Amino acid sequence: MKGVDGYMKRMRLKKFAKSGYITDKGMVYPLALWTNKEVLQYIRLRGLIQPFVYNPGAISQGFTIDLKTMLMMRHRYPHDFKRILEEFPYSEKLIFDYEYKHRK
């Protein structure tokens, strides 16, 4: 978790700043003050696996159930797309509405 990931994460991490970003339960947040650019540079320099970019224009690369992600999952990862539909059956309505709108 990094502070640059959003307001709520930044506020949560702020509570642990005095302790060096270590919680009373022993959880450690070594990337708390890093930017996304710094994290990606660290990954490159150490030859680690690059994270998959779902949406190049997005600030956060978290996974959301929105139309763009669902269309990409259906096209590139059909097996995982089916798993999403099993877990979130109403999410398919996003695609249904999109395709219905574009048929006309």
Side-chain angles (χ1 to χ4, degrees):
M1 181 164 46
K2 302 181 308 297
V4 297
D5 290 340
Y7 176 76
M8 295 304 290
K9 288 184 181 180
R10 192 167 36 259
M11 291 298 105
R12 196 173 318 140
L13 287 168
K14 196 173 186 179
K15 296 187 298 186
F16 310 120
K18 290 181 183 176
S19 65
Y21 298 98
I22 301 172
T23 71
D24 55 349
K25 295 182 181 178
M27 294 180 69
V28 180
Y29 296 101
L31 306 179
L33 301 176
W34 288 31
T35 64
N36 290 334
K37 184 178 178 179
E38 291 168 328
V39 171
L40 292 174
Q41 181 180 11
Y42 180 88
I43 289 170
R44 267 191 309 280
L45 289 173
R46 305 260 176 335
L48 302 174
I49 297 170
Q50 296 286 322
F52 181 79
V53 177
Y54 292 102
N55 182 358
I59 293 170
S60 172
Q61 294 302 316
F63 184 84
T64 59
I65 297 179
D66 59 17
L67 177 62
K68 193 171 186 175
T69 302
M70 293 293 285
L71 290 171
M72 183 271 301
M73 293 299 289
R74 183 176 72 171
H75 176 71
R76 292 187 184 172
Y77 307 101
H79 178 72
D80 290 331
F81 175 73
K82 289 177 185 173
R83 290 175 57 204
I84 293 169
L85 294 180
E86 288 171 10
E87 192 69 28
F88 304 101
Y90 295 115
S91 64
E92 192 169 23
K93 185 160 181 348
L94 290 167
I95 293 177
F96 176 82
D97 290 346
Y98 171 78
E99 289 177 343
Y100 180 77
K101 181 181 175 182
H102 288 86
R103 272 189 228 154
K104 296 177 181 183

